[in-house]
Amino acid sequence: MIRRWTTDIILVGPAAIALILFIFLPVLIVFVLAFTDYQFGASSANWVGIENFADLFGSDLGRKAITNTLLYAAIVIPTSVGLGLLVAVGLHSISKTLPRFSNALKAIYFLPVAATLVAMAVSWQMLMHPSLGLFNHWAVALGFSPVEWLTDQNTVLYSLAIIGVWQSVGYNMVLFLAGLTSIPDTLYDAAEVDGAQSGWSRFWLVTWPMLGPTTLFVLIVTAATAFRVFETVATMTRGGPAFASDTIVYALYREGFVYFKAGYASAITVVFFLALLLLTVIQLLVVERRVHYR
Amino acid sequence: MNGSLALENVTKRFGSFTAVDNISLELKEGEFVALLGASGCGKSTTLRLFAGLETVTEGDVKLQGRDVTKASASERNIALMFQSYALYPHLTVAQNIAMPLKLRRLSAVQRLPGAHLLSAGVKSQEEDIQQAVKKMSEMLRLDQLLDRKPGQLSGGQQQRVALARALVRDPSAFLLDEPLSNLDTQLRAETREEIRAIHQRTGYPFLLVTHDQSDALSMADRIAVMMAGKIVQVGTPAEIFNTPATQEVATFIGHHRMNILPAGVAQQLHESTSGLSLGIRPEELTIVQEGGLPATVDTVTFHGEETILKLRGPNDLVLRSVLRGRSDLPNEGEQVLLGANRNALHGFDSDGKRAEIAK
């Protein structure tokens, strides 16, 4: 009995210690710091209760970062999931008639996923440059007035959302493609025999419900990426102009690593962590029940 | 609205591969036809051509005399039961059975959830559909399972749901793709009877596609034997069994594979068979006291009702004999003489075609 117990400890021990030391402990420290006014390098800290949280939700700046992130996610999640599905269904349907063309397109759509976003941001910055950029060049050629993609307070968040969608469509497409290949062909035959004449009605009768588990997974992954938006903000706009593109993770970085306000940054982290956790739990509880047919 | 469905000189090619090679087959009104063949012979493709899930490369498809070669599966209104049942896993049993009616009677807008609350016409349609589902589910003993999902049902129950879904809409013909192959022996026998009973009650033309000759023999009015994309023989089960048109059909049909004696050896059993090879079913090959074909008993396998002897004849020819009853069983290694009733012999010429044996 004792021997078995020791074996268990020896087997589980190293991983458990690593987990506690590198994950649980730091998380615990962050949770504690969130209630202090600790600054990096300071030798002491004061307990300030929920002041950090009040700051985040009470100040214009904190609220701006939260609403910006929500708006960004509200654009990026449905658009990139929808486009990913559209592209996947399209490529799947031509994969039998035009296999090479379909494979080439798959690779192209997947490129942004494989590319480093920070490096890609430079290209996007050039494309979106107000006077030299290709986008405005085209806009003028087509008779539109040039757009201040990254320097106008009212457009900058949408410009970043376009890049966010561009970056995640390929990944979502690959996931949906995998889901599509696992749908048995006989279900489509059955739908056709049963009278689903149009591709549209077969999509709603077979494809959409059979993709349920895939869609749930894609939603969770895309939501997690969208809420964590950081690279494009940090490299292209630094939250500007006038905090119009300030997001939660960028604010967290700025407060923690530029202003060294570790307590406040920890509070942002805690809020962000709890929000993502809540979102995932809700998605799992509500949607999971509807997508697994057992 | 029952009627006949026919393929006329139909060929189907996939690239350079010819899956179905110039076949003609008609399902007459109220008839039960079995399409029998080994896997890969093109019988599933033939079924899909009947159903309208594949388009023919050459030839015509006729439904009640009308040309439906270009018509889609749903325009032909042919019911099809899939080997895998192909039930919609996200829908309940009741919704599965109702789906063909919903897709036919209601438009895409009328199918939207809650549409029956807004329109009285949709409401009465929905009620009709519910009635039809109820009637069908009672007939197939599914009324207790209507709220379950297919994943919660046994194989046999799933099959009854698939039957109900296929039959709920008064089809012009009913095609069954290997309906018994996923069932255990007990359920198989029951399902055979059930399908026969449904055929008699509904009177639709039935086409049963199967690789199992005993399913075809026991259920069908007519059997079409298919080999390498061609239909090699069409006839009643008795005709197929008693007068197989080719040596291939002869060895394919029958619970025990028919013995084939090549031309030389055949004459030792029956003198007037010059140039013909002889086929004898193992049940007909018996041990005689004199004047038969000499053979050595290799193995004796006891199967309960019957005993199977594996024998070695002249030129190391392997023969099988099935003996009923328990008396007079030879021992392994024993020399015996084999004989057969003349009426039980099948003659085949060098091309494998059936040839009459001179009496």
Side-chain angles (χ1 to χ4, degrees), chain B residues 12 41 84 115 127 176 265 270 276:
Chain B
K12 175 68 185 177
C41 74
S84 59
E127 280 164 4
L176 300 99
V265 181
H270 187 55
L276 299 181

Side-chain angles (χ1 to χ4, degrees), chain A residues 128-131 136 139 144-152 155 159:
Chain A
M128 290 178 165
H129 192 278
S131 52
N136 277 351
F144 297 101
S145 52
V147 180
E148 302 265 327
W149 295 98
L150 298 169
T151 42
D152 185 330
T155 48
S159 303

